[in-house]
Amino acid sequence: MDNVTLIRVVAGCLFVATICLPLYFLPSIIARGKRNAKAIFLLNLLAGWSVIGWVAALIWAIMNDAVPVIIQQSPSAAAQLCAHCGKYSPPGGKFCSICGQPFESAILARQ
Ligand SMILES: [Zn+2]
């Protein structure tokens, strides 16, 4: 291998490393820190060679993350708190659905 060929090979490698690879993985770079970053990276890596896969990964990376919906389950006001086990039972029952002990209001109503 003569010097000119060696310089061309090195220049080609530098071109690929500095221009082509960052451009190819641009969707993955944009998607860093997002919820679907791994999936976007895989789509970019596996289907990025087709222009459609690359564009799809880019669009996916640019889209905003969906705001996570936080569901808080708290016992409703009508649920009855058992004094024996500390768990909530559905309203209307006279006995705890967890431990089977009668509720205090049921005991008071009997007396
Ligand atoms: Zn109970």
Side-chain angles (χ1 to χ4, degrees):
M1 190 183 299
D2 62 339
N3 280 344
V4 175
T5 307
L6 184 66
I7 289 172
R8 283 183 181 155
V9 168
V10 169
C13 289
L14 282 176
F15 178 74
V16 166
T18 58
I19 306 292
C20 294
L21 280 180
L23 190 66
Y24 184 80
F25 286 106
L26 183 65
S28 299
I29 294 169
I30 291 173
R32 279 181 310 166
K34 290 197 168 192
R35 242 181 66 220
N36 296 325
K38 289 178 185 172
I40 293 170
F41 172 73
L42 282 178
L43 176 67
N44 190 184
L45 181 71
L46 299 176
W49 57 269
S50 69
V51 177
I52 292 174
W54 189 87
V55 169
L58 183 65
I59 290 172
W60 195 4
I62 289 173
M63 283 175 27
N64 285 333
D65 269 347
V67 177
V69 177
I70 299 172
I71 299 173
Q72 283 189 329
Q73 287 195 336
S74 58
S76 65
Q80 301 185 73
L81 177 65
C82 176
H84 296 280
C85 65
K87 309 279 184 187
Y88 285 94
S89 294
K94 292 183 179 175
F95 298 94
C96 173
S97 64
I98 308 296
C99 68
Q101 292 291 321
F103 287 118
E104 299 300 325
S105 58
I107 294 173
L108 291 176
R110 243 187 287 155
Q111 292 172 347

